[in-house]
């Protein structure tokens, strides 16, 4: 694997105090150290080891309520479906489901997780470009709210499967509006060269054909233009404007369009970058789709869950290289892959009060995996940290644990949910025995 581009930024990094100032779920207690809600992160690490993920239930609820409030303020008939791919932990899903969120799923596993967390099938949408026959059968047997179809071939699969099962699938057609969301190339999804959706020019004919197929009831349209969108809401307005025109065109043909799934992608400020807020997104939806009389859906993931989570890691050692200081942690790219995969920036804070106020010096923050790509930050201002000192990666609640792997045969980290002044283990740390479970030597290798 080639090493990623240097994780550098032309502007000075935000200070520790500046990072905390815009993250109300975190604070530095002069005695207990860095707190998530009212729980010291050091206490979580002592109870469950490191690396360990910790999620703030209060933050999940607060951010969901903010988005729901913005949609209501814009007088939109809109449902929020949490993008399960961002964080499929059952406790996270239950917390959001109890506040009225549905689920946007992209696999059998995510659908089963949403149901296990108590989210009603009637509040689940199945998206994704490559649903298998088994996944389509499961979605139909569960009688979920909607399947978002992404190709003519998939429409045919859904029709044949539903007809064979004696079911009628509620299907929305995902269109690709060829709109550049100005986000990272690996997470843009609404350009013509991306694998997602039907070219918007081909959508009218396919939608009309769907209306005559057995086992299918066309219910509307869907779109998703990318993830971590921070360049304002202009791309949203453009994409939704194209969808509004398409709704009018389909209705002019006598076709029924009941719903529009607006997708997700609203970005968060990992560093200090500006990011659009839910009110701006709601305004873009209202200005383009608000007068069409359609039920609306949004599919946030990162915006809700990202700021709610931290990854706590321990220092293994400090290594002085040739002109560089390396801070080696027990967390690695198998735990938090975003810096290696996307050149992503995450705030890193010391957990102990004394370390929080100690003098800073540049350090490369790395993990123990045998790749140079296992680097979280370069030239980051951090204090001298002794072995067993704790640090916390901020905004790690989305696409953190969800993208973890067991590379280098490293067990998956534990996950904890924080609620006020209490916390509970919501996913056990994987054991070394579990890493080997399921493997077997062939008979001719038996001893």
């Amino acid at each position: 694997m080639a090493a990623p581009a240097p994780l550098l930024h032309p502007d000075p990094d935000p200070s520790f105090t500046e990072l905390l100032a815009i993250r109300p779920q975190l604070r530095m207690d002069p005695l207990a150290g860095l707190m998530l809600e009212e729980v010291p992160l050091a206490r979580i690490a002592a109870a469950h080891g490191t690396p360990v993920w910790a999620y703030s239930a209060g933050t999940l609820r607060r951010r969901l309520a903010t988005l729901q409030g913005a949609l209501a303020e814009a007088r939109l008939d809109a449902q929020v479906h949490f993008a399960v791919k961002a964080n499929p932990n059952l406790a996270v899903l239950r917390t959001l489901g109890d506040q009225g969120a549905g689920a946007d799923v992209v696999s059998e596993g995510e659908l089963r997780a949403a149901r296990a967390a108590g989210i009603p099938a009637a509040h689940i949408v199945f998206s994704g470009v490559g649903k298998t026959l088994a996944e389509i059968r499961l979605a139909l047997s569960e009688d979920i709210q909607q399947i978002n179809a992404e190709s003519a071939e998939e429409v045919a699969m859904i029709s044949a499967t539903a007809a064979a099962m004696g079911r009628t699938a509620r299907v929305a057609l995902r269109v690709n509006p060829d709109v550049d969301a100005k986000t990272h190339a690996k997470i843009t999804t609404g350009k013509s060269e991306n694998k997602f959706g039907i070219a918007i020019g081909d959508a009218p004919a396919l939608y009309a054909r769907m209306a005559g197929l057995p086992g299918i009831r066309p219910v509307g349209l869907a779109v998703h233009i990318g993830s971590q969108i921070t360049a304002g809401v202009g791309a949203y307005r453009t994409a939704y404007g194209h969808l509004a025109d398409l709704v009018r065109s389909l209705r002019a043909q006598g076709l029924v369009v009941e719903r529009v799934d607006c997708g997700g992608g609203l970005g968060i400020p990992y560093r200090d970058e500006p990011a659009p807020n839910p009110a701006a997104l709601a305004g873009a939806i209202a200005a383009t789709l608000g007068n069409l009389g359609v039920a609306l859906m949004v599919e946030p993931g990162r915006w809700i869950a990202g700021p709610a989570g931290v990854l706590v890691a321990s220092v293994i050692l400090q290594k002085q290289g040739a002109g560089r200081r390396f801070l080696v942690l027990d967390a690695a790219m198998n735990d938090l892959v975003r810096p290696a995969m996307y050149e992503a920036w995450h705030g890193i804070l010391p957990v102990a009060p004394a370390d929080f106020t100690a003098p800073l010096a540049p350090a490369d923050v790395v993990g123990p995996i045998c790749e140079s790509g296992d680097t979280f930050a370069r030239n980051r201002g951090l204090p001298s940290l002794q072995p067993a000192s704790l640090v916390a990666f901020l905004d790690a609640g989305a696409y953190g644990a969800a993208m973890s792997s067991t590379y280098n045969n490293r067990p998956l980290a534990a996950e904890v949910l924080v609620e006020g002044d209490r916390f509970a283990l919501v996913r056990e740390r994987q054991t070394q025995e579990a890493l080997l479970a399921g493997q077997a030597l062939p008979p001719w290798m038996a001893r």
Side-chain angles (χ1 to χ4, degrees):
M1 174 188 280
L7 308 183
L8 302 176
H9 197 281
D11 299 324
D13 288 330
S15 68
F16 294 164
T17 301
E18 288 169 334
L19 288 172
L20 285 181
I22 60 172
R23 292 166 175 85
Q25 67 275 20
L26 293 164
R27 65 182 177 87
M28 176 56 69
D29 184 275
L31 296 177
L34 191 60
M35 311 275 287
L36 181 63
E37 296 194 23
E38 296 305 313
V39 174
L41 291 177
R43 191 171 148 214
I44 292 175
H48 298 296
T50 58
V52 60
W53 306 92
Y55 310 123
S56 160
T59 303
L60 291 168
R61 284 193 289 266
R62 173 172 53 84
R63 294 183 71 85
L64 173 60
T66 298
L67 177 56
Q68 290 170 327
L71 295 169
E73 184 69 20
R75 299 186 178 182
L76 296 171
D77 174 17
Q79 293 180 325
V80 176
H81 290 75
F82 177 69
V84 175
K85 61 181 175 290
N87 191 321
N89 184 277
L90 294 186
V92 169
L93 299 181
R94 174 66 65 87
T95 299
L96 296 172
D98 284 350
Q99 300 302 119
D104 171 68
V105 306
V106 295
S107 71
E108 176 180 346
E110 289 187 1
L111 174 53
R112 292 188 183 278
R115 297 293 288 124
I119 295 176
H123 291 170
I124 295 176
V125 174
F126 202 135
S127 302
V129 72
K131 305 174 196 69
T132 66
L133 285 173
E135 288 172 329
I136 293 170
R137 291 189 190 103
L138 177 63
L140 291 168
S141 65
E142 289 283 332
D143 194 24
I144 67 168
Q145 182 177 12
Q146 177 176 303
I147 299 175
N148 289 347
E150 302 218 13
S151 66
E153 294 81 1
E154 185 181 31
V155 166
M157 289 172 62
I158 296 169
S159 172
T161 305
M165 293 175 64
R167 301 267 184 159
T168 299
R170 292 173 290 273
V171 178
L173 189 61
R174 177 172 175 176
V175 300
N176 186 320
D178 194 20
V179 170
D180 186 357
K182 305 297 183 185
T183 188
H184 193 287
K186 292 180 181 178
I187 51 176
T188 189
T189 59
K191 297 171 68 175
S192 60
E193 63 263 33
N194 300 141
K195 66 181 180 179
F196 300 97
I198 303 288
I200 197 163
D202 297 335
L206 180 55
Y207 196 89
R209 197 185 324 152
M210 286 166 56
L213 288 175
I216 283 184
R217 178 163 75 85
V219 294
L221 303 171
V223 70
H224 183 74
I225 60 173
S227 184
Q228 183 53 9
I229 297 171
T230 58
V233 296
Y236 284 119
R237 289 181 69 105
T238 300
Y240 298 156
H242 292 331
L243 250 67
D245 290 341
L246 181 55
V247 170
R248 296 185 187 98
S249 174
L250 293 174
R251 286 175 170 173
Q253 298 176 49
L255 298 168
V256 175
V257 183
E258 303 171 17
R259 307 175 192 158
V260 172
D261 185 340
C262 298
L266 199 63
I268 61 173
Y270 283 98
R271 191 176 180 276
D272 55 3
E273 62 271 32
N277 59 36
L281 176 63
I285 296 172
T288 51
L289 299 164
N291 63 352
L292 293 178
V294 291
L296 296 161
M297 305 174 183
V298 293
E299 300 169 359
R302 184 193 316 269
W303 195 88
I304 290 175
V310 296
L311 173 62
V312 183
S314 295
V315 175
I316 297 175
L317 54 85
Q318 286 192 111
K319 172 184 173 180
Q320 187 57 52
R324 307 182 78 84
R325 175 171 66 115
F326 294 95
L327 193 64
V328 185
L329 307 180
D330 64 355
M333 63 186 283
N334 75 292
D335 300 301
L336 180 61
V337 75
R338 294 190 70 255
M341 181 174 285
Y342 303 122
E343 299 84 47
W345 195 98
H346 280 268
I348 304 173
L349 295 181
V351 170
D355 293 334
F356 191 83
T357 57
L360 308 182
D364 286 7
V365 184
V366 301
I369 279 178
C370 293
E371 292 203 28
S372 295
D374 185 23
T375 298
F376 295 113
R378 292 189 173 90
N379 293 331
R380 187 71 64 89
L382 288 166
S384 179
L385 294 171
Q386 298 305 307
S389 298
L390 299 175
V391 298
F393 289 86
L394 307 184
D395 305 310
Y399 306 104
M403 297 180 75
S404 295
S405 75
T406 58
Y407 185 45
N408 278 195
N409 252 33
R410 291 169 49 84
L412 298 175
E415 297 175 59
V416 167
L417 186 72
V418 172
E419 180 77 77
D421 61 358
R422 57 187 175 171
F423 65 95
L425 185 68
V426 294
R427 182 176 179 176
E428 295 180 352
R429 185 177 307 280
Q430 190 177 30
T431 64
Q432 292 289 343
E433 292 75 18
L435 278 171
L436 298 178
Q439 297 190 54
L441 294 172
W444 60 86
M445 290 184 179
R447 290 198 181 102

